[in-house]
Amino acid sequence: MIPTEDASARKREIEEKLKQEQETLSFIRENLEKSDQLTKGMVSILSSFESRLMQLENSIIPVHKQTENLQRLQENVDKTLSCMDHVISYYHVAKDTDRIIREGPTGRLDEYLACIAKIQKAVEYFQDNNPDSPELNTVKARFEKGKELLEAEFRSLLTRYSKPVPPILILDAISVDDELEVQEDVVLEHLPEAVLQDIICIAGWLVEYGRNQDFMNVYFQIRSNQLDRSIKGLKDHFRKNSASSGILYSPAVQTKRKDTPTKKAPKRPGKDDVLDIEIDSYIHCISAFVKLAQSEYALLAEIIPEHHQKKTFDSLIQEALDNLMLEGDNIVSAARRAIMRHDYSAVLTIFPILRHLKLNKSEFDSTLQGTAASTKNKLPTLITSMETIGAKALEEFADSIKNDPDKEYNMPKDGTVHELTSNAILFLQQLLDFHETAGAMLASQETSSSASSYTSEFNKRLLSTYICKVLGNLQLNLLSKSKVYEDSALSAIFLHNNYNYILKSLEKSELIQLVTVTQKKAESSYRELIEQQIQMYKSSWVKVTEHLTDRNMPVFQPGTKLKDKERQVIKDKFKGFNDGLEELCKIQKGWAIPDKEQRDFIRQSQKKVVSDAYRAFLQRCANISFTKNPEKYHKYRAEEVEEMIERLFDTSA
């Protein structure tokens, strides 16, 4: 059982807590009521704000839209004003550009082209927007005027700055120095760089905007003239300097020119040096044309549109090329006339030219690549003409050697080398300088299947055959000519001299190597012929030495007196020998053997034969008394006979 006091305390405690809870509850109720009031107030405010916001929106949106419209209208106005300014500017283009167009592009090309661009835009505007307006005609006329002045400037720049290339520079450009492993190309600068850039700029504008191709004709005409003048200048340089000083090349650059430019055309009997200069000049002009044409193409490629380059280049080189080909044709014609008057050595002028043309043909063809067929065929046609006339000359020369008439007045009185022989050998020696060209020339006339491919060896055999033919014809003709002499000994000396001259000439040059290609024993054959003629000559002394033989010599015993008949035999032998010796020495002293070696050999050989026979004869007659006047018959001592023979073939004695 709980005590009463404790229960009372507990009750008071509970009542106290209850009272506190009731107070807390009252406080919460009061706060909830205040919160409700505040909420109602906030709702009322928000409702009022929403109402006002809607009113504001209904007022602002129309204003905003109106503002946007105003801004758009403003932008449109600005754009319209800008367009108006732009359009109005087209109406002012003619006036604004008048001064610049009138004064032309000289010295201010960039400004001028910018001015033309404005005019061009004005033309495009009026064509698109107002094609019937008078302003279109005005700007069109101004554009055409501007284009004309650009064309004129193009012509003016090209004309003013295009100069012929100096001959010395050309010669340096075509030179080859064998001592240099790497050749330094000489740059041919045709136009100053600044001028070239202006010309390229104008050409580009005329193609793109001017729709004009006339400037290409202007270009090739001006450059063609300069190319031709450059080559003519080189030709004049040769004529002036070759005759006066012999200096053909730049004194600053000592170089060796390739192929024939260092090698003059062969000298021939009576040939004028002027012809040498003309040939050398022509050869150099051919090389110069190739080098200059290549340089012109490089220049043209910078200025002329690609699809017009080949045609323009073709036109550009025509005049210079035609002049070169015409000069070549004239050389062929001159050779043809020389053949008609039987001056075959004149044809040798063709050989250095033909060799040079053939050596340079591949470079020539490469340079003319892309040109018209008629242009490309010009050099091959000239080469064919030269080969044909050259081959004709060679054949007719061989025939002329065979058919040269045996005229008594034309024969050397002293039996020396005939002019026909020396001329024939000289011709062949000069031909040797161009053996490859001559061989190919002969091959070009071959129609047999074996000649389908002209190898170097084939050509060499052809030339060997030809040389042997000429030598064979010469031998036959000399044999025929020798019969003109009444004295068979002089005939032998004549043939000996000519055969010996031929052999020595062959041996001194490389002709013998060419001859032996087809005639292995040619050298020994000539030696046999020479020996035969020496023996023929020696036989002329038989009529002298036969008096010294034992034939009819009386047989006698020492101390026995000779009969009159026997004495007369000995007298006749002495007289026959003396008269024969004197006659032969008198005649043969005027004969000639130009070759000292042969002359000495024949003298010594003949001296020994006669001297030995004479000494033997004198010994046999030493103890014979056949006359009271022995000095009348024994006119010469053996030493005197030797001296007389020693003076043979000495026209100066």
Side-chain angles (χ1 to χ4, degrees):
M1 189 170 192
I2 300 172
T4 307
E5 291 179 5
D6 290 341
S8 296
R10 179 69 177 160
K11 182 179 178 186
R12 283 194 299 271
E13 185 181 342
I14 291 171
E15 287 175 353
E16 188 67 34
K17 284 184 180 181
L18 180 61
K19 185 180 179 182
Q20 287 177 358
E21 290 293 336
Q22 286 174 342
E23 288 174 358
T24 300
L25 182 61
S26 295
F27 177 76
I28 291 172
R29 279 198 187 105
E30 287 175 5
N31 282 330
L32 282 173
E33 286 176 1
K34 288 179 181 178
S35 177
D36 286 341
Q37 289 175 358
L38 288 171
T39 299
K40 287 177 182 177
M42 182 62 70
V43 169
S44 174
I45 291 169
L46 288 174
S47 297
S48 173
F49 179 75
E50 183 180 6
S51 173
R52 290 179 181 180
L53 190 59
M54 286 180 67
Q55 288 176 1
L56 180 63
E57 186 178 342
N58 290 334
S59 301
I60 290 297
I61 286 176
V63 172
H64 177 70
K65 287 182 178 178
Q66 190 175 5
T67 303
E68 279 187 339
N69 290 336
L70 287 172
Q71 286 177 337
R72 196 174 294 114
L73 287 172
Q74 180 65 43
E75 287 174 2
N76 289 340
V77 167
D78 290 342
K79 286 181 180 178
T80 302
L81 288 173
S82 177
C83 287
M84 288 296 292
D85 288 340
H86 187 64
V87 169
I88 290 169
S89 71
Y90 289 132
Y91 286 85
H92 293 163
V93 161
K95 180 182 177 183
D96 293 343
T97 58
D98 180 64
R99 181 182 61 82
I100 294 175
I101 295 299
R102 215 170 351 97
E103 292 176 357
T106 305
R108 52 172 177 186
L109 183 60
D110 290 342
E111 183 185 1
Y112 191 84
L113 289 176
C115 188
I116 292 261
K118 287 181 183 178
I119 297 171
Q120 190 175 4
K121 286 179 180 177
V123 170
E124 291 169 357
Y125 171 79
F126 288 120
Q127 282 177 335
D128 292 341
N129 298 285
N130 195 0
D132 297 326
S133 66
E135 285 79 7
L136 176 58
N137 294 331
T138 303
V139 290
K140 264 189 175 180
R142 185 59 48 81
F143 182 80
E144 290 302 318
K145 179 65 177 175
K147 187 168 76 169
E148 280 178 27
L149 290 175
L150 273 176
E151 291 168 1
E153 178 71 359
F154 183 87
R155 180 189 291 273
S156 173
L157 287 173
L158 264 181
T159 305
R160 196 180 323 138
Y161 292 99
S162 289
K163 306 290 182 191
V165 180
I168 296 298
L169 193 57
I170 296 175
L171 287 166
D172 288 340
I174 63 177
S175 70
V176 171
D177 191 338
D178 295 336
E179 295 176 3
L180 293 177
E181 291 184 7
V182 179
Q183 297 298 325
E184 291 184 10
D185 286 339
V186 176
V187 178
L188 300 175
E189 187 181 86
H190 298 289
L191 297 167
E193 184 60 29
V195 173
L196 174 59
Q197 292 308 317
D198 280 357
I199 288 173
I200 292 171
C201 188
I202 294 172
W205 188 92
L206 290 173
V207 170
E208 187 172 355
Y209 302 111
R211 305 290 187 268
N212 177 293
Q213 295 184 6
D214 292 343
F215 78 94
M216 298 181 201
N217 296 331
V218 170
Y219 179 86
F220 89 69
Q221 288 165 2
I222 293 172
R223 293 307 308 169
S224 172
N225 181 256
Q226 296 308 323
L227 174 60
D228 193 50
R229 286 178 63 194
S230 295
I231 294 174
K232 285 177 178 173
L234 179 62
K235 197 177 298 180
D236 291 341
H237 174 78
F238 268 85
R239 287 172 182 162
K240 290 174 186 173
N241 294 314
S242 298
S244 60
S245 64
I247 299 172
L248 301 179
Y249 310 115
S250 165
V253 184
Q254 297 299 326
T255 56
K256 298 175 183 176
R257 268 66 190 176
K258 67 180 176 182
D259 183 47
T260 338
T262 54
K263 192 177 187 74
K264 297 288 190 292
K267 291 282 182 186
R268 59 190 180 88
K271 183 179 176 186
D272 192 344
D273 285 346
V274 172
L275 188 55
D276 274 341
I277 296 166
E278 290 296 325
I279 293 166
D280 212 27
S281 168
Y282 186 67
I283 285 170
H284 279 80
C285 286
I286 290 290
S287 292
F289 171 80
V290 173
K291 185 65 69 175
L292 289 169
Q294 290 170 347
S295 179
E296 285 292 345
Y297 191 83
L299 178 67
L300 173 147
E302 293 192 73
I303 298 168
I304 305 299
E306 186 175 355
H307 55 289
H308 290 285
Q309 288 173 5
K310 294 292 185 184
K311 185 179 178 182
T312 306
F313 178 68
D314 198 341
S315 301
L316 189 156
I317 61 173
Q318 283 304 313
E319 184 178 4
L321 181 58
D322 285 345
N323 286 339
L324 280 176
M325 295 302 109
L326 178 61
E327 192 173 345
D329 289 339
N330 290 339
I331 291 168
V332 171
S333 298
R336 190 175 287 112
R337 290 192 298 272
I339 293 172
M340 290 176 67
R341 60 177 185 269
H342 309 297
D343 180 9
Y344 302 106
S345 57
V347 175
L348 289 167
T349 59
I350 281 180
F351 284 77
I353 295 171
L354 180 57
R355 178 172 72 178
H356 189 68
L357 291 179
K358 293 181 80 171
L359 282 174
N360 287 273
K361 185 177 179 298
S362 60
E363 193 172 3
F364 213 101
D365 291 345
S366 175
T367 303
L368 300 187
Q369 190 176 6
T371 58
S374 58
T375 303
K376 285 189 242 184
N377 289 337
K378 286 180 180 178
L379 182 69
T381 301
L382 178 59
I383 287 175
T384 301
S385 297
M386 287 190 168
E387 286 189 323
T388 302
I389 197 68
K392 178 179 171 64
L394 291 178
E395 289 305 316
E396 292 202 14
F397 173 76
D399 291 342
S400 74
I401 296 297
K402 181 180 181 181
N403 301 320
D404 188 70
D406 307 329
K407 296 176 182 176
E408 189 172 348
Y409 66 83
N410 198 32
M411 296 296 290
K413 304 298 183 189
D414 58 0
T416 190
V417 177
H418 197 281
E419 184 183 13
L420 179 69
T421 303
S422 57
N423 285 348
I425 293 299
L426 179 61
F427 184 89
L428 293 179
Q429 285 174 337
Q430 291 172 338
L431 201 62
L432 186 62
D433 290 336
F434 307 97
H435 60 277
E436 291 180 3
T437 304
M441 185 181 283
L442 292 167
S444 71
Q445 307 303 305
E446 290 287 313
T447 54
S448 63
S449 58
S450 62
S452 58
S453 59
Y454 303 141
T455 63
S456 178
E457 189 60 34
F458 176 80
N459 295 351
K460 191 175 183 180
R461 291 190 68 80
L462 274 181
L463 185 57
S464 175
T465 302
Y466 172 77
I467 291 172
C468 291
K469 177 182 177 181
V470 171
L471 292 174
N473 288 352
L474 178 60
Q475 186 178 328
L476 289 172
N477 197 306
L478 289 171
L479 193 59
S480 175
K481 279 178 166 42
S482 70
K483 294 172 183 174
V484 171
Y485 294 114
E486 294 180 1
D487 191 328
S488 62
L490 180 56
S491 177
I493 289 296
F494 170 77
L495 287 175
H496 162 273
N497 283 334
N498 282 272
Y499 292 154
N500 183 65
Y501 178 83
I502 293 168
L503 177 60
K504 289 294 175 67
S505 298
L506 292 178
E507 288 176 334
K508 283 178 185 176
S509 67
E510 294 178 9
L511 276 171
I512 194 67
Q513 283 92 329
L514 262 178
V515 169
T516 52
V517 168
T518 51
Q519 287 197 7
K520 304 293 183 188
K521 297 182 179 179
E523 198 169 353
S524 59
S525 296
Y526 273 110
R527 294 196 188 284
E528 287 175 15
L529 288 171
I530 291 167
E531 182 58 33
Q532 285 173 14
Q533 299 313 313
I534 291 174
Q535 296 307 318
M536 285 288 293
Y537 162 73
K538 285 184 174 180
S539 66
S540 68
W541 282 85
V542 171
K543 61 183 179 182
V544 176
T545 56
E546 69 181 357
H547 295 291
L548 306 177
T549 62
D550 288 339
R551 190 165 58 88
N552 298 328
M553 193 73 172
V555 179
F556 60 89
Q557 296 296 325
T560 306
K561 188 177 181 180
L562 296 177
K563 298 176 182 177
D564 290 345
K565 185 178 179 182
E566 291 173 335
R567 285 197 298 273
Q568 190 60 46
V569 167
I570 295 174
K571 289 178 183 178
D572 289 345
K573 280 182 175 290
F574 268 106
K575 188 176 187 308
F577 173 77
N578 292 336
D579 291 348
L581 175 68
E582 289 168 358
E583 182 186 1
L584 275 187
C585 285
K586 181 182 178 182
I587 293 170
Q588 294 185 7
K589 187 172 71 172
W591 295 356
I593 299 179
D595 187 323
K596 183 180 184 303
E597 185 182 336
Q598 285 291 308
R599 185 168 66 241
D600 291 345
F601 170 75
I602 291 173
R603 278 175 179 169
Q604 294 302 321
S605 175
Q606 198 56 50
K607 187 166 65 174
K608 178 172 173 50
V609 170
V610 176
S611 176
D612 286 354
Y614 188 50
R615 288 177 193 277
F617 177 72
L618 290 178
Q619 191 155 357
R620 285 198 301 275
C621 298
N623 298 318
I624 301 175
S625 178
F626 64 92
T627 178
K628 293 179 180 179
N629 302 306
E631 67 278 357
K632 178 182 176 181
Y633 297 98
H634 186 186
K635 291 175 66 175
Y636 302 106
R637 292 180 292 107
E639 291 77 15
E640 290 175 318
V641 170
E642 290 177 352
E643 288 174 7
M644 290 171 72
I645 295 174
E646 192 65 38
R647 288 194 294 272
L648 295 179
F649 316 119
D650 188 358
T651 54
S652 64

